[in-house]
Amino acid sequence: MNRTIRLSLVVLLLLTVTTGCWNLREPDQLAFILAAGLDLNEEGKLEITSQIAVPAAISSGQSPGGSGKKSFVVVSGTGKNVMDAGTNLQTQLPRSLFYAHRQSILIGERLARKGLGSLTDMFIRNPKSEMRSSILVVKDGLAKDVLAIEPLFDPYISTMLVREQVAVGLKPYYYRQFLADALCQATQPILPAVSVLPTKRYIYSGAAILNKDDNLKLVGYLNPKESFLASWIIGRQNSLTVTAPVGAGGDEITLNAKSLSKELQFVMQDPPSMYVMLKGAGFIVENNTKLNPAKDRDLNKIEHALSLSTQEAVQALVEKVQKQYKADVLGFGEYIHREHPYQWKELRSDWTTLFPRLRVTVKVELKVKDPGQTNSSIDSML
């Protein structure tokens, strides 16, 4: 009897401490979401679209866009909020939705203009949510149209969207950074934007400006060149290609600049002033002029022309966001908050009205480290 009781106690103890993987789900029970799209449909309802991997298509060696089985499926569902729409989407699938591999979140323009403020909660609260998802706005279109595009090089469009940002010199913009921008005191978020082409492809179309003081509503766009310059100022640009006319003839030189850096300096006066110093160095990738960068005189002329042209473009960008959008997407307020906290206390409450009046002086200094594989242009040698 005693032996039976002891044995029962041991079994009970094992059952207590050995919980096992009670919630384990095998991979063939899961639907791996690679990208999510949020739209406002024509009836004004929230529509969630998920791009879901079809592992069997990849393992069988089918190429993207080939005649075989597609590497993904696109499924949509509508609802009152993100989870409600997701629940309706789940009813169409025999596998449980799995969010941990999500690479991208796309926002359709119609929804972006209504505002994203009420939609951010699920992505923060849900422990299954992937915070390293890149987030983009679809300019003049719907998110689900981008997710339906047949990818060119990768099995999934979500992978291409992340690599696209790296290819144009940007640092990937993740959802966690979007939250940081939305929750900081002054900076207005700018999100990468893509557009769907009539050829069923997509193109990087700049950056979307959101107003966090008004439910994160879309207020406008920067074109691709403006977005690169804005990203340089806020430290999200790794490289930049600059083309400028040099000399009276108007012939052009193109520099691929890397080692980009920025320096801000704030002066408290009336009106407050901000000095922006941008520096970069790189190699010449095209020279259609008769200048020889191996000669100091010509090199100085080239560097001055490239720097001045870029400086004028940055100054125009600053004026655009100040006068047209009145949105501090350049992080000036956040810089003052961090570096001049006492002065920021005086400015914070009026920053929305002060930012458009902020006196901004821009200085750009570009250096040529390498003339490329030849000095003078081939045209000048002919």
Side-chain angles (χ1 to χ4, degrees):
M1 184 63 181
N2 290 339
R3 183 180 179 186
T4 303
I5 293 174
R6 286 198 297 271
L7 189 60
S8 300
L9 289 174
V10 171
V11 172
L12 182 62
L13 179 63
L14 288 174
L15 288 174
T16 304
V17 300
T18 310
T19 56
C21 300
W22 59 272
N23 60 347
L24 175 66
R25 291 185 177 178
E26 299 296 337
D28 61 359
Q29 295 176 301
L30 302 175
F32 294 94
I33 295 178
L34 300 172
L38 285 73
D39 287 307
L40 202 63
N41 65 18
E42 293 181 354
E43 290 77 33
K45 294 182 179 179
L46 178 65
E47 184 176 21
I48 305 296
T49 302
S50 290
Q51 186 184 67
I52 300 171
V54 180
I58 299 298
S59 60
S60 63
Q62 297 292 344
S63 60
S67 57
K69 191 175 182 180
K70 291 176 62 174
S71 58
F72 63 89
V73 294
V74 177
V75 187
S76 298
T78 58
K80 298 176 183 176
N81 58 22
V82 177
M83 279 310 298
D84 188 43
T87 303
N88 293 332
L89 191 153
Q90 177 67 79
T91 60
Q92 306 173 44
L93 299 169
R95 297 185 178 191
S96 299
L97 294 172
F98 189 73
Y99 301 90
H101 291 176
R102 184 186 59 216
Q103 295 178 303
S104 302
I105 300 172
L106 292 110
I107 312 295
E109 179 172 305
R110 191 184 298 157
L111 179 62
R113 291 201 177 278
K114 184 182 178 184
L116 306 181
S118 60
L119 303 176
T120 56
D121 187 82
M122 175 269 175
F123 294 100
I124 306 170
R125 193 179 304 277
N126 192 334
K128 299 177 182 177
S129 183
E130 173 54 81
M131 299 291 285
R132 290 173 298 177
S133 303
S134 61
I135 179 168
L136 307 95
V137 170
V138 181
K139 184 180 180 182
D140 300 325
L142 299 172
K144 65 179 183 181
D145 292 339
V146 176
L147 297 183
I149 292 175
E150 291 282 352
L152 279 177
F153 303 108
D154 297 286
Y156 309 110
I157 195 71
S158 54
T159 307
M160 286 182 60
L161 291 170
V162 175
R163 292 181 177 177
E164 172 78 36
Q165 296 177 59
V166 177
V168 296
L170 291 166
K171 297 177 182 177
Y173 188 74
Y174 295 122
Y175 189 80
R176 61 187 179 189
Q177 183 61 52
F178 168 60
L179 287 178
D181 291 344
L183 297 174
C184 74
Q185 294 196 12
T187 303
Q188 300 289 353
I190 55 171
L191 277 61
V194 293
S195 300
V196 180
L197 299 173
T199 55
K200 303 298 181 184
R201 301 296 179 195
Y202 76 88
I203 185 172
Y204 176 78
S205 53
I209 300 175
L210 305 184
N211 184 1
K212 67 180 183 181
D213 301 321
D214 188 15
N215 195 36
L216 288 170
K217 289 182 179 177
L218 173 68
V219 296
Y221 294 96
L222 300 177
N223 65 38
K225 288 185 179 179
E226 292 169 341
S227 76
F228 298 149
L229 297 176
S231 297
W232 187 359
I233 295 175
I234 58 181
R236 295 183 196 156
Q237 191 76 27
N238 286 322
S239 62
L240 185 71
T241 301
V242 178
T243 300
V246 182
D251 295 327
E252 296 171 331
I253 281 184
T254 299
L255 178 78
N256 182 243
K258 300 182 184 295
S259 307
L260 302 180
S261 66
K262 57 117 182 209
E263 183 178 340
L264 303 181
Q265 184 179 359
F266 173 70
V267 178
M268 187 69 171
Q269 56 188 22
D270 188 20
S273 297
M274 182 70 72
Y275 294 90
V276 181
M277 181 69 190
L278 302 174
K279 293 183 179 181
F283 58 94
I284 295 176
V285 291
E286 185 168 352
N287 178 11
N288 296 321
T289 72
K290 299 188 181 303
L291 299 175
N292 183 351
K295 299 178 180 178
D296 288 344
R297 182 177 178 181
D298 287 357
L299 180 63
N300 292 335
K301 193 172 183 179
I302 292 169
E303 290 179 338
H304 176 73
L306 289 167
S307 300
L308 183 61
S309 174
T310 308
Q311 181 175 303
E312 291 172 350
V314 175
Q315 195 75 55
L317 162 71
V318 172
E319 291 179 9
K320 182 175 182 177
V321 298
Q322 281 187 298
K323 309 303 180 188
Q324 182 175 340
Y325 296 128
K326 298 179 173 55
D328 181 10
V329 300
L330 305 174
F332 291 161
E334 194 60 26
Y335 168 79
I336 301 171
H337 176 212
R338 291 197 312 269
E339 302 296 329
H340 306 276
Y342 293 106
Q343 293 172 338
W344 177 246
K345 288 181 179 178
E346 301 177 28
L347 302 174
R348 179 182 176 182
S349 59
D350 298 323
W351 185 244
T352 303
T353 55
L354 279 174
F355 174 72
R357 296 195 295 114
L358 185 69
R359 184 179 296 166
V360 181
T361 303
V362 178
K363 178 72 174 176
V364 174
E365 186 176 295
L366 290 173
K367 294 291 184 182
V368 176
K369 295 177 66 177
D370 191 333
Q373 298 192 68
T374 182
N375 289 327
S376 300
S377 68
I378 299 299
D379 183 52
S380 66
M381 301 178 187
L382 298 176

